[in-house]
């Protein structure tokens, strides 16, 4: 574990400023008295921090609140356009980019084709996409770039240990992108960006224990445990699709057999439906045939729902989340899975753990994944630099943090 910076007035100030900014980020329109009450800081300390944040342009006075007698309190809020962040979702063939303000509201977006899966082609495409969307920031600072991609990602080092859909191993992608864009880069598994979006803007708001299961070409998992995003020891947590559910089952792209992904991922469902129908179909056509009453194709989706429900039930038994979210592009066929999923989940969950468990389906698009990547970067931007090795990391609370602008 990295050592914490030695205690100092500067560090205490950064932590206190982070408390204030964090409160205003999640609960805008707070008075100075409100901030003191919710952060535990004294009113003089709050007044000093607020004065500094107003002077830096990060927050603003927006309105006056009701008074219980005497002077009406001035309400404060984050100034959304005080700066911007770029969010990137990497797919096999495209770079989806968004520019968001400090409240993660999307103000510009771009889609760039990736000609091949080489590292060079991906870096070129990301750099081009970043350059296009950051134009919308005009003269305001762009603090950095959040990038989400499928694979095992060492978040702390910015290294792709293994890319799911290309032959990448131990690629220092963050450093390559920093060199090309001139901006700080935060790299993470793409499902974690989806979790960030769910936690801050979706069904997971205010919930401390959330499991987000993404379904589509692959099957992924993102976790919020006790209010914190859980990545595992080396960033590899969440390879839910490679849990083995059938011994000696079909071969998976990972080289193993019987993986959940090899049975219910989009390629598997397409192949099963094509075999039944005697012709090649995509997932949407297979779903249409099932909805029109083809019993054999419908059973393919029902079986997938049962397998997924059982696997998620085992997950609930291990982690006891309060909320399970099904997300990703595969949710467009969730109507064909849901009944069997719910039944299998109820049968698999240990007695008592299903109490108060909520399961929802959220149909996020690629833009939402990119917005989540921006949100992950924002989450770090609002934190103080607690360790000596973080001195150069962008932080809105550090006096010497200099945003990267055009």
């Amino acid at each position: 574990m990295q050592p914490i910076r030695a205690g100092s007035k500067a560090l205490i100030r950064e932590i206190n400023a982070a408390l204030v900014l964090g409160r205003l980020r999640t609960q805008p329109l707070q008075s100075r008295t409100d901030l003191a009450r919710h952060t535990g800081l004294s009113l003089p300390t709050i007044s000093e921090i607020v004065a500094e944040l107003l002077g830096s342009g990060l927050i603003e006075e927006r309105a006056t609140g009701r008074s219980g007698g005497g002077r009406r309190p001035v309400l404060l809020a984050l100034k959304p356009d005080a700066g911007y962040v770029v969010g990137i979702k990497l797919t096999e063939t495209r770079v989806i980019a968004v520019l968001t303000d400090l409240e993660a509201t999307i103000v510009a977006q771009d889609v760039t084709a990736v000609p091949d899966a080489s590292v060079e082609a991906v870096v070129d495409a990301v750099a081009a996409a970043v350059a296009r969307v950051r134009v919308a920031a005009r003269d305001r600072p762009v603090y950095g770039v959040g990038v989400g991609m499928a694979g095992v990602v060492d978040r702390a080092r910015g290294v792709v240990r293994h890319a799911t859909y290309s032959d990448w191993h131990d690629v220092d992608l963050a450093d390559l992108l920093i060199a090309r864009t001139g901006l700080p880069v935060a790299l993470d598994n793409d499902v974690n960006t989806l979790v960030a979006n769910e936690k801050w803007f979706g069904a997971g708001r205010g919930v401390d224990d959330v499991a987000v299961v993404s379904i589509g070409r692959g099957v992924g998992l993102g976790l919020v445990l006790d209010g914190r995003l859980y990545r595992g020891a080396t960033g590899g947590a969440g390879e839910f699709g490679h849990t083995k559910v059938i011994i000696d089952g079909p071969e998976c792209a990972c080289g193993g057999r019987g993986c959940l992904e090899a049975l219910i991922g989009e390629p598997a469902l397409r192949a099963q439906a094509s075999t039944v129908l005697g012709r090649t179909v995509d997932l949407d056509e297979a779903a249409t045939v099932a909805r029109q009453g083809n019993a054999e194709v419908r059973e393919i989706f029902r079986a997938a729902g049962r397998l997924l429900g059982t696997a998620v039930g085992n997950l609930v038994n291990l982690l006891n989340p309060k909320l399970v979210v099904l997300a990703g592009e595969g949710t467009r066929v969730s109507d064909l899975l849901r009944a069997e999923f719910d039944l299998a989940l109820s049968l698999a969950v240990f007695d008592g753990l299903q109490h108060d468990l909520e399961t929802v389906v959220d149909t996020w698009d690629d833009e939402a994944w990119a917005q989540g990547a921006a949100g992950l970067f924002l989450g770090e931007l609002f934190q103080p630099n607690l360790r000596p090795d973080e001195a150069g990391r962008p932080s809105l609370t550090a006096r010497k943090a200099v945003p990267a602008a055009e």
Side-chain angles (χ1 to χ4, degrees):
M1 180 179 292
Q2 292 289 332
I4 301 297
R5 284 167 53 194
S8 66
K9 289 183 178 180
L11 177 58
I12 293 170
R13 178 213 151 270
E14 288 181 39
I15 293 172
N16 290 342
L19 289 173
V20 172
L21 284 173
R23 179 66 187 176
L24 291 177
R25 184 186 179 202
T26 57
Q27 298 290 332
L29 298 181
Q30 301 275 300
S31 69
R32 289 166 176 79
T33 302
D34 293 332
L35 290 171
R37 181 170 63 252
H38 291 292
T39 63
L41 300 175
S42 69
L43 194 54
T45 297
I46 288 292
S47 296
E48 181 181 345
I49 292 171
V50 165
E52 187 169 329
L53 294 175
L54 285 169
S56 67
L58 288 173
I59 66 174
E60 59 187 352
E61 296 177 335
R62 287 196 185 173
T64 54
R66 294 182 178 180
S67 172
R71 187 176 180 181
R72 298 177 69 182
V74 176
L75 302 183
L76 303 158
L78 189 68
K79 196 170 188 294
D81 62 354
Y84 296 91
V85 167
V86 178
I88 298 286
K89 158 71 171 174
L90 282 181
T91 75
E92 291 177 85
T93 59
R94 299 184 300 162
V95 173
I96 296 93
V98 298
L99 183 77
T100 79
D101 63 19
L102 294 184
E103 290 182 339
T105 301
I106 295 173
V107 298
Q109 53 200 16
D110 178 85
V111 178
T112 302
V114 180
D116 59 68
S118 68
V119 174
E120 295 77 11
V122 170
V123 170
D124 286 346
V126 172
V130 170
R132 281 192 287 270
V133 296
R134 70 182 296 181
V135 170
R138 300 178 300 280
D139 60 341
R140 297 300 176 96
V142 176
Y143 285 99
V145 184
V147 179
M149 63 176 293
V152 178
V153 176
D154 186 333
R155 168 66 189 88
R157 294 175 175 82
V159 174
V160 181
R161 296 300 180 195
H162 169 72
T164 301
Y165 303 128
S166 57
D167 189 26
W168 291 11
H169 296 277
D170 296 325
V171 175
D172 294 328
L173 186 60
D175 283 346
L176 292 171
L177 292 175
I178 289 168
R180 284 296 304 276
T181 65
L183 294 168
V185 173
L187 178 68
D188 211 330
N189 177 275
D190 58 355
V191 181
N192 285 340
T193 72
L194 195 64
V195 173
N197 212 343
E198 198 67 60
K199 173 67 176 169
W200 293 323
F201 315 115
R205 294 187 72 170
V207 183
D208 284 340
D209 296 278
V210 183
V212 177
V213 178
S214 67
I215 55 176
R217 171 167 177 172
V219 179
L221 171 67
L223 295 167
V224 174
L225 302 178
D226 198 21
R228 298 175 65 87
L229 184 62
Y230 180 76
R231 294 183 174 90
T234 60
E239 291 296 335
F240 189 49
H242 298 292
T243 54
K244 307 302 185 278
V245 293
I246 295 182
I247 297 176
D248 295 327
E251 186 174 357
C252 180
C254 73
R257 286 190 172 276
C259 295
L260 181 64
E261 185 171 302
L263 291 155
I264 72 164
E266 186 168 325
L269 297 180
R270 286 200 315 260
Q272 293 170 48
S274 296
T275 298
V276 167
L277 295 172
R279 57 188 173 86
T280 301
V281 295
D282 61 20
L283 185 65
D284 293 315
E285 187 176 357
T288 298
V289 170
R291 293 181 185 114
Q292 289 173 344
N294 186 301
E296 288 183 276
V297 178
R298 187 172 184 83
E299 179 55 28
I300 291 170
F301 290 100
R302 286 165 55 85
R306 288 193 291 272
L307 282 169
L308 182 60
T310 301
V312 172
N314 290 331
L315 180 69
V316 171
N317 290 340
L318 286 171
L319 299 175
N320 187 209
K322 181 176 179 57
L323 173 68
V324 172
V325 180
L326 297 184
E329 64 271 21
T331 56
R332 67 187 189 276
V333 299
S334 61
D335 59 305
L336 298 169
L337 310 175
R338 187 64 191 268
E340 292 297 317
F341 169 84
D342 288 340
L343 177 59
L345 177 66
S346 66
L347 293 173
V349 173
F350 187 71
D351 186 33
L353 294 184
Q354 201 163 2
H355 182 66
D356 290 335
L357 174 68
E358 183 182 3
T359 305
V360 300
V361 176
D362 269 356
T363 54
W364 294 107
D365 56 17
D366 283 335
E367 185 180 281
W369 293 66
Q371 184 187 34
L376 276 176
F377 191 95
L378 281 170
E380 297 193 0
L381 192 63
F382 279 78
Q383 298 301 313
N385 292 333
L386 294 177
R387 302 193 303 268
D389 63 343
E390 292 182 324
R393 180 178 67 80
S395 169
L396 293 177
T397 66
R399 291 180 188 273
K400 294 183 180 180
V402 179
E406 291 285 1

